[in-house]
Amino acid sequence: MPNEEDALFGAVDALLEQVAQDPLPPPAERKRLREAAGLSQGQIAKALDARRESVGNWETGRSEPRPPKRAAYARLLDGLAARFPAAPNATAPVQSTYVPAPAEARTLPANPAPGAAALPAEENTRPRPAKTAAAASPPVRTVRPSTTSRRPGAKKAAPANTPADADPRFENGPLAVVDVEDGNVVAYCVDGLVLDVPAKSIPSLVDWTLKEAKLGQPKLSGPGKDADPLLVLTEAACERYGLPVALTEKERLAGRLPEGHKVIRQLARAEWKLTKRGFGPWARIYRPAQGSERACVQLCIPSWHALGTRHWGEAGQLPPAELARLLGTYASRVMTPRGSTAVTGLELMTALHPPTRASEPDANGVRHSEHNPGSLGKDPVDPAPCEAPDGHPVLNELNLPRFHVRGPAEKLFEEAYDWARPLTDAECMRRNLVGIDVNMAFAAGANGTVVGLGAPTRVKNPVFDPKLPGSWLVDLSHVDLSRVKSGKEWVDLEGELLPSPFTPKGERPQGPAWYATPTVAYAVELGYEVRPVEAWVRYDNGRYLDGWYNRLRDAYIATMADLGVPADVSPEEFLTAMDGYRQRDPELAIVVAAIKATVKGGLGKLRERPRGEGWKPGEAWRALSRPTWRPDIRAAVISRTRINMHRKILKHAAFTGQYPVAILSDCAVYAVDGESPLDFLPYREGKPLPGGFKLGVNPGLVKWEGTQSVLWGEGVREQFNAPELNLARYIKDGTVTDKDNGE
């Protein structure tokens, strides 16, 4: 009998909990009570069998607890209010300040950004994603308490104090991570917001995203287009919506689901279309635009390797809230990902310089699409024959013999440095090899580079013009590095210890060869006459990549500042800040890596090669249809990057008498007695050598790459019987494998 009575009482209590809707304290008071008791959101979530994000939403007014958790939460707040009453003069706020709920087990940078809201001790866990590259934390928003659903459809307007530059169409951020929790589909957005997702299928998910989710990102340029919303599907979400958790080997090689898959048939019945790449790791689902209205949603599926570990680390394994924060930070500072970091880097160029714009109204008041000045246009252009990679259709007209290998006099070889030399006797007596690495070297090389915007023009026996971008056939074998011009003075150097600035391997040119404009201009800068035989120049030109560089630079500097590495600090403070910066917030460290990969990958895409698909030499491949397939732009940036490195090496050698023993792309290694860059970089009263290497976080400045002993270096070279093995490749941790040396 007592058991039956207890069961009845339990049922009645459950009913009372369902109807108990007494007002809870305002959200700000809920947070005050928890902080006064010294409790964390995680502790309360564990006690109530709820998510920590839910507790954060209750304290910001984003959502309200539902029965039966509501009654238990109310009881907790009542108990805390009895123990920690508010100050006598305190008044309950009408509105609550929205502060994104932080994640567990992270550490804030030592110097938080000015204006960032202070968090209690238990919640002082990590920096929050920024809305813009200039701000280290999102703008504070105010939301009225509400007992409505978390669905965005329940909100009729943006919060009253939304920043003026915020777009109410995208008030929930650029993207969301879709997951299944307790049987319900939810979407984790940036800033800790969680939305209920009512969609039961992929087509209805797309509809919900476009009509209710308020996801997306405003355009980056006036004539451009708003970024489409991005949904990241977890493994649980894939299962819920009928997608495989992983692709089969055949599907992985094809890069997509087969056309007959049930989800693709669902999309077809709902009149949704897929792009040519189909339903793959980065799928774009759209309907043809109606006027200026776009209807497109992009899906990212990490379990299909959409977020490759090479550039995104372990991002694909993160919990949904953490992944939303990571990708949201990248999106707000760079752009909403459009695919791999390489694809996004290329898309960023187009987003900043759209190919077309609206014209002025004609006589009938109608605007038309016209070329956008400063852009690459909407039609691809053929490269000059010397700029075309092997197998390009342009080369068919040359009637080259079969299996002909083009040399420097027929093909443009502008690549990054891969050079090394044996140590001198004096260098062998040094203690260590110290490597320094140029931050964002290729981004710095892109900054200020004048590149061609249109098709090339062939010129015979031209007069060299350093302001005219193009490719030049010229003999630079007479340039002697033992005597060069530095400013207005001639300087004598040990030229045999320096790499040639004109070839990637550092070898002295043997005769006429094709070079990009920055390379030839550097020969003139060194004090030598140049007489080109032929050139392909571009009279339509401009600094196309400046905006691209600025966007990525700001993203990099802001994220490094969040990791505790600010700009404009002394060299000693910089080296200290860089020590272990990745461990301060591993997720933001992934963002830094992704930003760097966006630079290199975007430039690499300018010369994308065939990717299978039955291609044969002499035939066009898919990438050639893009206006952004521009090997000449890539060559100009790499040329300028290599020249920037050589210029610093030359300045350093002229002032200190020290010469590098190895260079790999943006890393240079010197033999010195100390262990730190400060032991050989010539600082005077904290000021670096003008035009030389300078320690700092900004692109173009250098950081410490690693230190190994001279005995280690000589031992490695002896082990592999390679006197000129490039030690810069292994200076970071000293690990060398047989695979690295082709054995």
Side-chain angles (χ1 to χ4, degrees):
M1 187 69 178
N3 290 337
E4 182 180 353
E5 187 176 85
D6 290 344
L8 291 173
F9 285 168
V12 170
D13 289 342
L15 289 174
L16 290 174
E17 287 181 351
Q18 292 181 21
V19 299
Q21 295 294 326
D22 292 337
L24 295 172
E29 176 66 5
R30 304 170 198 174
K31 181 178 179 180
R32 185 195 72 79
L33 291 171
R34 177 180 57 76
E35 293 175 2
L39 299 174
S40 69
Q41 292 179 344
Q43 289 174 297
I44 294 179
K46 184 176 181 180
L48 299 179
D49 192 22
R51 293 178 296 105
R52 184 195 56 76
E53 289 81 2
S54 297
V55 177
N57 286 338
W58 299 343
E59 291 184 357
T60 61
R62 278 288 187 180
S63 65
E64 291 291 305
R66 300 175 181 176
K69 294 180 175 65
R70 181 185 177 90
Y73 188 48
R75 183 174 181 179
L76 171 65
L77 295 177
D78 287 343
L80 294 178
R83 296 189 183 188
F84 306 100
N89 296 330
T91 58
V94 177
Q95 294 182 330
S96 65
T97 302
Y98 170 45
V99 180
E104 307 275 352
R106 292 287 185 266
T107 303
L108 276 172
N111 299 313
L119 300 178
E122 288 80 2
E123 296 183 333
N124 192 13
T125 55
R126 67 176 186 185
R128 294 163 289 165
K131 288 290 184 181
T132 64
S137 60
V140 175
R141 296 196 284 173
T142 301
V143 182
R144 294 186 181 276
S146 170
T147 58
T148 59
S149 166
R150 292 176 292 170
R151 299 176 188 171
K155 290 178 284 184
K156 301 301 181 182
N161 66 340
T162 299
D165 59 347
D167 193 324
R169 298 174 299 161
F170 312 127
E171 66 173 274
N172 292 330
L175 55 87
V177 179
V178 180
D179 191 27
V180 179
E181 185 178 280
D182 298 330
N184 299 317
V185 182
V186 294
Y188 290 83
C189 305
V190 298
D191 296 349
L193 172 65
V194 183
L195 306 175
D196 287 330
V197 180
K200 304 298 183 184
S201 66
I202 290 293
S204 60
L205 178 64
V206 174
D207 278 323
W208 171 83
T209 303
L210 294 172
K211 295 177 181 177
E212 297 185 52
K214 295 188 177 180
L215 296 173
Q217 192 174 31
K219 57 189 177 182
L220 298 179
S221 176
K225 300 175 182 177
D226 296 328
D228 299 318
L230 172 64
L231 296 181
V232 183
L233 304 185
T234 65
E235 293 184 8
C238 286
E239 292 180 339
R240 171 62 64 91
Y241 290 120
L243 295 170
V245 171
L247 296 177
T248 64
E249 183 67 14
K250 183 178 180 180
E251 292 167 348
R252 187 185 64 80
L253 292 175
R256 65 185 73 189
L257 291 178
E259 293 298 323
H261 193 277
K262 64 178 182 180
V263 171
I264 297 180
R265 294 200 305 269
Q266 290 174 359
L267 291 169
R269 286 196 297 269
E271 298 182 347
W272 288 105
K273 298 180 179 294
L274 292 165
T275 57
K276 290 183 179 179
R277 60 183 174 184
F279 204 121
W282 292 90
R284 298 189 68 79
I285 304 172
Y286 72 100
R287 286 189 180 124
Q290 301 294 327
S292 61
E293 293 296 324
R294 289 172 55 82
C296 182
V297 173
Q298 180 166 278
L299 302 183
C300 167
I301 306 179
S303 63
W304 295 5
H305 304 293
L307 302 174
T309 56
R310 182 181 178 187
H311 302 313
W312 289 104
E314 301 302 319
Q317 307 301 319
L318 291 174
E322 305 300 300
L323 182 55
R325 178 221 178 202
L326 186 156
L327 293 177
T329 303
Y330 178 89
S332 65
R333 295 179 176 180
V334 180
M335 70 178 299
T336 303
R338 294 288 302 271
S340 66
T341 50
V343 169
T344 304
L346 199 67
E347 291 291 338
L348 180 61
M349 297 179 194
T350 303
L352 293 168
H353 289 285
T356 60
R357 68 178 183 182
S359 68
E360 294 296 326
D362 59 16
N364 298 321
V366 179
R367 296 179 183 269
H368 305 276
S369 177
E370 66 177 13
H371 173 70
N372 183 28
S375 75
L376 299 182
K378 62 180 181 179
D379 298 318
V381 297
D382 285 333
C386 62
E387 298 165 348
D390 294 336
H392 193 284
V394 164
L395 302 178
N396 295 341
E397 301 175 4
L398 302 182
N399 296 318
L400 297 174
R402 191 178 184 187
F403 305 121
H404 175 73
V405 178
R406 293 184 294 161
E410 300 170 289
K411 182 179 178 181
L412 182 68
F413 286 93
E414 291 287 8
E415 299 295 340
Y417 265 132
D418 186 355
W419 168 87
R421 62 170 176 81
L423 273 65
T424 65
D425 292 343
E427 290 168 339
C428 287
M429 301 301 294
R430 303 288 186 184
R431 290 172 49 201
N432 294 314
L433 300 170
V434 180
I436 52 176
D437 181 82
V438 181
N439 297 316
M440 301 269 284
F442 292 101
N447 183 35
T449 300
V450 179
V451 300
L453 302 178
T457 301
R458 187 179 185 182
V459 183
K460 287 285 189 177
N461 298 315
V463 176
F464 176 69
D465 182 353
K467 297 181 180 180
L468 191 59
S471 300
W472 308 78
L473 181 61
V474 60
D475 188 351
L476 299 180
S477 59
H478 63 291
V479 177
D480 183 5
L481 294 179
S482 63
R483 183 168 176 76
V484 298
K485 206 169 185 180
S486 180
K488 296 182 179 180
E489 299 180 355
W490 287 88
V491 179
D492 293 325
L493 299 169
E494 297 183 51
E496 69 277 5
L497 300 181
L498 287 168
S500 168
F502 310 126
T503 61
K505 292 293 184 181
E507 302 166 345
R508 189 165 180 169
Q510 298 302 309
W514 285 99
Y515 302 100
T517 298
T519 302
V520 185
Y522 188 55
V524 176
E525 180 183 328
L526 294 178
Y528 291 86
E529 184 181 11
V530 296
R531 294 181 179 178
V533 177
E534 183 182 351
W536 288 88
V537 296
R538 289 170 169 83
Y539 295 106
D540 179 15
N541 55 67
R543 294 171 57 159
Y544 174 73
L545 294 173
D546 277 10
W548 184 79
Y549 161 78
N550 291 333
R551 180 84 177 173
L552 291 164
R553 175 204 60 196
D554 292 346
Y556 176 74
I557 292 176
T559 310
M560 289 298 290
D562 285 349
L563 285 164
V565 187
D568 301 324
V569 294
S570 69
E572 295 81 5
E573 291 172 331
F574 170 71
L575 291 176
T576 301
M578 286 293 292
D579 186 18
Y581 77 93
R582 293 183 180 88
Q583 283 68 47
R584 293 174 197 148
D585 191 324
E587 293 165 22
L588 283 183
I590 292 175
V591 175
V592 169
I595 293 171
K596 293 180 179 179
T598 303
V599 173
K600 290 187 177 180
L603 293 173
K605 278 282 186 179
L606 292 169
R607 190 177 179 264
E608 184 178 1
R609 300 304 308 277
R611 303 175 65 182
E613 300 178 344
W615 175 81
K616 296 180 181 179
E619 297 178 348
W621 58 92
R622 183 183 299 182
L624 301 188
S625 63
R626 296 193 319 250
T628 49
W629 194 86
R630 293 293 302 273
D632 58 296
I633 295 179
R634 172 186 177 274
V637 172
I638 292 178
S639 165
R640 195 160 187 261
T641 303
R642 193 182 65 249
I643 295 306
N644 286 345
M645 172 67 87
H646 196 275
R647 185 181 290 111
K648 289 180 172 63
I649 289 169
L650 214 61
K651 291 281 187 182
H652 185 85
F655 189 80
T656 67
Q658 297 170 334
Y659 296 82
V661 300
I663 307 174
L664 182 66
S665 186
D666 47 11
C667 175
V669 176
Y670 285 83
V672 297
D673 285 326
E675 298 181 350
S676 163
L678 289 175
D679 294 323
F680 73 95
L681 293 184
Y683 275 86
R684 287 184 176 180
E685 299 179 355
K687 295 183 179 180
L689 173 69
F693 295 111
K694 177 183 178 182
L695 289 166
V697 73
N698 292 61
L701 306 188
V702 299
K703 63 179 181 294
W704 176 60
E705 181 68 5
T707 298
Q708 306 295 331
S709 69
V710 169
L711 290 177
W712 164 86
E714 290 299 274
V716 168
R717 286 179 165 178
E718 183 178 348
Q719 176 185 351
F720 293 102
N721 192 26
E724 297 184 1
L725 179 71
N726 196 330
L727 299 175
R729 192 183 307 276
Y730 318 108
I731 194 69
K732 191 166 190 175
D733 59 12
T735 303
V736 185
T737 65
D738 291 345
K739 182 179 179 181
D740 293 328
N741 293 280
E743 299 184 10

